Structures are given as structure tokens and as C-alpha cells.
Amino acid sequence: MVIARTLSVIAITLFCWCAQSSRANAETRTDRVLQARPEAVQWFQDARFGMFIHWGVYSVPGRGEWVMENEKIPISAYEKFAPQFNPQAFDAKKIVSLAKRAGMRYITITSKHHDGFAMWPSKQSTWNIVDATPYKKDPLQALANEAHRQGIKLFFYYSQMDWHHPDYWPLGEKRGHAAGRAPGGDFARYLEYMNAQLTELLTQYGEIGGIWFDGMWDKPDADWQLQRTYNLIHRLQPSAMIGSNHHAAPFPGEDFQMFEKDLPGANSAGFNTTHVSSLPRESCDTINDAWGYNKLDDHYKSTRQLIHFLVRSAGANANFLLNIGPTATGEVQSEFERRLEEIGQWMNQHGETIYATHAGPVSPRSWGVTTERDGKIYVHILDWKDRYLPLPALPGIKTARMFDTGQVVALRTLDDGLLLELPDSTSTELVDQIVVLQR
Ligand code: FHN
């Protein structure tokens, strides 16, 4: 009798202990911050160049992706663009091939921008490309299939700010107020909606490179439950890289830090005031001034300027994500195409000095940057007219050659530096004069 009672006490104690410990495990499982797998992080760092695509119903008016907010268009009027969105000329193969020819290793496309419109047949709302437009097809599926076929990674941009969804409430201080939304809504329910949409994106398109968040800056103090969303993403796809354009220092669970229209550490855009973390970095920029198609914008950067930004990004240890905004018919403007082809020609010859490099021993300068890989230091001279270029001391450097021609570059050791004597024949008109230094 005593033995039986003792056994039953032990059994109950064991049961309670097990229950407690499995609850504790479950809690730690949810609380633990997950990160992308190290191989994915390394891949991202090596990739160095990607294509950004801003595309949605805003391409119909062709006045940029902020047209709804900028022109104070209420939802009822804005929704009328959807029946006019029929991008029959969209050709996933053409776009992926263009990205590849440009030397890009990944594509990041807007799955949902601030207007809340889903570019895939989301089951969470009919405000999507299959239910609301005559196109009736899923361009993300076509792009994912083609990206997988051509061996290029696909990332999804996802706007957390939403000018259309009734539960995105309270609104941020400044934006979404002209949409004519009825006041009220349940933000916790909005986050459920967002997580459900993200689940669709992470389960229906094969392996995804990552999620590129934007718009949290609209309500920086709201409880976004980031941990929950980030862990959901990393559980569904452990290699997916998470980045967020919140313009603040990275939060736990983020795998890379991004800088919009600026190199890491610079702040010409006005909102890149945060510090540069030790996470992998990415800078993004436009070819003209607009992200989404803007037929009025012909302020195109030259190929030379774009290559310089790519080189300067690599010299600052960052990838460069270069944007195109296809038209409402799904075409890529010839101005964009031409520049991407030209960058591709340059990358074909000079990719060795960019891909899989890290920032070199000389920090970025006004004349250019250095990158480094496999014991070689690449000095990228972007803006320098003189024959002699002084560098800080680089102990042990024995040889210097021009990357393009193999011509020897004379080296002189100074008291506290190194002087490069560029060959007479080197043209300062070159997009980038590259000198290879070796120990
Ligand atoms: O408001 C957006 C903008 O439309 C665009 O998507 C860029 C891309 O970096 N990000 C936001 C502004 O920070």
C-alpha cells in the first residue's frame, strides 16, 4: 500500500515535471531568436548585385508607387486602376535573363507595396492580381519558376504599412489619411493577416532568398511583434534572409541591414541616421528617381554612375540592389534595359573584383575604394586624374598590376605609405581603373 502510494506520488511528480519542462521548451522555442543559416548569409554577402522590382497597380497611372498618397486618391477611386492592370507583356523569362546578363545574382520584387495590393492570388483578401484584375495570372509564380530554372534567388519585398487594409489601425501620424478609410480596426488582426500572407509567400514559391520589409517607419512605436513574424519566417524557410528598411539599428532576427539611396554610413537621403552594424549590408537605388514606373521621370543616371555606385557599395562591404519599375503592360523601359546590359558587359570583365569580395584595407576615399579576395587587393580608382596615387602603408605588398592589361604599376614605398605610379597609357576616362596589389 505504502509502496503503491509512493510510486503514484513519483509518477505524478514526474508527469508534472515533464509537462512543465515541455511547456518551458515550447516557450524557449518561441522566444529564441532564429537567424538565417550561415551558408545563406555567406551566399548573400558574396552575391554583391541584385535587381529590385517595384511593380503593382500603381504602374497603371505611371506616376510612381506613392501616387495614392501623393495625390490623395481615396481607396474607392484607387481600386479602379485594378481593372486596367493587364500586363500581357510581362515575361518572367525575359526579366530573369536580363538580371542575369546584368550580372545580378538575385531579384527582390514587391509582393505588396504600401497600397496593400497583393501581386499574387492571396487567399487573405481579394485585393490581389488574380481576383481584382483582368490579368488573372500569378506573376510571382512565373518569376519564381524562372528564377529557380536560371539559378537566381528570389526575394519578396513586403510593405508592413498598408493604406488599404481596414485593420491597419491606428494609422501612422502622416500617411494613409486621404484613403477615406472608416476609422477603427484591429492592429493585432492586421498582424495575423500579414503573417498569413507571409506564410503563403514562404510556402507556395519554393525556396525564397528572403523577405525585404518596408514601412515599419510609419508607426515606429507600434507593437509589430517582430519576433513572432521573424521566427515564423525562419521556421518556414531557415535560409531566408530577413531585412527591414525601418531606418533604425537592426532588430534581433534580422539577417542584413539595408540603406536606401545611400552607401552604408552616408546620409544623403535624410533618413539613414542609424549606425552601421556588423550584419551583411545592402544599398539600393533607382535608375531614374522613381521606384515604381513614372512616365514623367527622365532623370536617368548614367551607366558610369551606376557602376560607380556598385563598386563603392562593394568597397563598403555592401550589395547593390538596383531598381527597375516595369510598366503597366509588364515591359521594362529601354532606358533601363540598355543600362543593365552595359553594366553586365562591365561585370563580365571585372566581376572578379566585385563578387565574393569584402571591403579592402583602405577605407572608402573620394577617389575610390578597395576590395579584397583570395589575397588580392583591388584598388578601384573611380575619380582621379593624376599619374601618382598615394595610399596609406600596406605592409608586404610586392607587386601591382593593372587589372585590365596586366601592365606593371610602379610602387614606391614612402615613410608612411605607398605610392602607385599609374602607367602613362591608362585612360582616366575608364569607368574604373583597377590596380591589383599582391603580397
Ligand atoms: O516608401 C518606400 C518607397 O516607395 C520604396 O519602396 C523604397 C525602396 O527602398 N522604400 C520606401 C521608402 O523608405
Side-chain angles (χ1 to χ4, degrees):
M1 181 73 173
V2 174
I3 293 174
R5 204 174 308 131
T6 316
L7 278 176
S8 86
V9 169
I10 292 173
I12 290 169
T13 316
L14 261 177
F15 171 78
C16 292
W17 179 81
C18 284
Q20 244 175 26
S21 102
S22 78
R23 206 175 317 127
N25 275 341
E27 271 156 24
T28 15
R29 231 167 22 96
T30 8
D31 289 340
R32 212 179 78 214
V33 179
L34 303 174
Q35 301 284 157
R37 287 197 175 128
E39 314 85 78
V41 176
Q42 188 61 53
W43 174 89
F44 183 81
Q45 236 160 349
D46 291 348
R48 284 295 176 245
F49 193 26
M51 174 186 272
F52 212 173
I53 304 180
H54 275 69
W55 195 40
V57 278
Y58 44 78
S59 312
V60 171
R63 297 192 292 276
E65 76 290 354
W66 271 70
V67 64
M68 179 175 172
E69 174 69 10
N70 289 348
E71 299 182 14
K72 306 209 178 318
I73 305 177
I75 289 173
S76 52
Y78 190 81
E79 282 180 344
K80 298 208 168 89
F81 291 131
Q84 301 168 56
F85 190 40
N86 192 9
Q88 291 296 339
F90 171 73
D91 183 342
K93 186 170 175 195
K94 218 165 148 186
I95 291 191
V96 174
S97 306
L98 177 63
K100 286 207 77 168
R101 284 202 304 282
M104 292 156 157
R105 297 271 163 99
Y106 60 103
I107 294 178
T108 304
I109 185 167
T110 46
S111 64
K112 179 190 103 158
H113 205 263
H114 308 331
D115 61 2
F117 184 78
M119 288 292 281
W120 79 101
S122 174
K123 297 219 165 35
Q124 313 311 317
S125 151
T126 53
W127 184 226
N128 75 65
I129 191 160
V130 168
D131 291 318
T133 78
Y135 186 55
K136 300 258 167 271
K137 282 185 270 184
D138 180 356
L140 300 192
Q141 189 66 69
L143 210 51
N145 292 347
E146 195 54 35
H148 291 138
R149 208 178 62 77
Q150 295 203 38
I152 193 165
K153 288 207 189 209
L154 183 65
F155 287 60
F156 290 131
Y157 167 111
Y158 189 94
S159 172
Q160 293 152 304
M161 172 167 76
D162 195 313
W163 298 327
H164 187 275
H165 197 279
D167 280 325
Y168 185 80
W169 188 267
L171 296 174
E173 205 183 309
K174 298 190 188 136
R175 302 152 198 106
H177 294 266
R181 285 240 328 259
D186 180 344
F187 191 58
R189 202 161 55 196
Y190 173 74
L191 294 180
E192 294 303 328
Y193 165 82
M194 184 178 86
N195 288 343
Q197 285 206 322
L198 289 166
T199 303
E200 292 177 350
L201 291 170
L202 288 152
T203 54
Q204 294 171 17
Y205 298 92
E207 192 175 304
I208 290 308
I211 301 291
W212 207 105
F213 284 110
D214 200 358
M216 203 184 119
W217 38 261
D218 184 48
K219 306 204 299 174
D221 300 327
D223 179 10
W224 288 95
Q225 300 182 25
L226 288 184
Q227 211 58 75
R228 203 162 146 241
T229 299
Y230 290 175
N231 274 0
L232 170 78
I233 295 170
H234 281 139
R235 283 220 176 82
L236 290 172
Q237 295 227 13
S239 291
M241 298 283 293
I242 298 177
S244 180
N245 190 23
H246 42 48
H247 312 152
F251 292 104
E254 291 173 10
D255 303 296
F256 67 103
Q257 188 179 7
M258 51 183 72
F259 303 86
E260 179 182 329
K261 283 189 174 277
D262 260 319
L263 293 165
N267 182 21
S268 58
F271 43 70
N272 291 315
T273 51
T274 186
H275 81 280
V276 181
S277 77
S278 59
L279 289 181
R281 303 164 191 169
E282 185 194 70
S283 284
C284 58
D285 209 346
T286 48
I287 294 183
N288 48 3
D289 288 335
W291 296 101
Y293 175 59
N294 188 337
K295 59 186 173 207
L296 305 171
D297 182 351
D298 60 359
H299 192 218
Y300 301 108
K301 297 174 187 69
S302 66
T303 302
R304 184 186 179 91
Q305 284 174 310
L306 296 168
I307 293 176
H308 280 195
F309 200 88
L310 168 62
V311 172
R312 285 192 186 275
S313 302
N317 240 345
N319 292 358
F320 180 33
L321 188 65
L322 178 59
N323 184 71
I324 59 165
T327 64
T329 56
E331 279 155 312
V332 178
Q333 288 172 248
S334 58
E335 292 87 349
F336 293 170
E337 234 164 26
R338 186 162 60 74
R339 283 162 178 78
L340 294 184
E341 298 284 1
E342 288 169 356
I343 297 174
Q345 284 157 19
W346 187 86
M347 282 297 266
N348 255 335
Q349 287 163 21
H350 304 95
E352 175 194 318
T353 72
I354 303 290
Y355 297 121
T357 59
H358 54 87
V362 182
S363 59
R365 300 287 203 264
S366 57
W367 54 257
V369 294
T370 56
T371 56
E372 189 169 6
R373 171 183 169 175
D374 301 334
K376 289 184 189 169
I377 297 167
Y378 303 100
V379 183
H380 296 266
I381 307 167
L382 303 170
D383 191 7
W384 187 254
K385 299 255 180 296
D386 301 329
R387 177 121 187 241
Y388 294 94
L389 178 72
L391 298 178
L394 293 169
I397 295 299
K398 297 213 171 58
T399 64
R401 285 179 185 278
M402 294 307 295
F403 180 83
D404 281 334
T405 59
Q407 249 181 311
V408 170
V409 174
L411 285 177
R412 281 197 223 160
T413 310
L414 308 174
D415 273 353
D416 195 15
L418 194 65
L419 193 66
L420 301 186
E421 185 183 337
L422 302 170
D424 244 353
S425 55
T426 311
S427 160
T428 51
E429 291 313 305
L430 275 177
V431 173
D432 181 4
Q433 301 180 62
I434 307 173
V435 179
V436 189
L437 304 178
Q438 271 185 291
R439 296 201 157 86

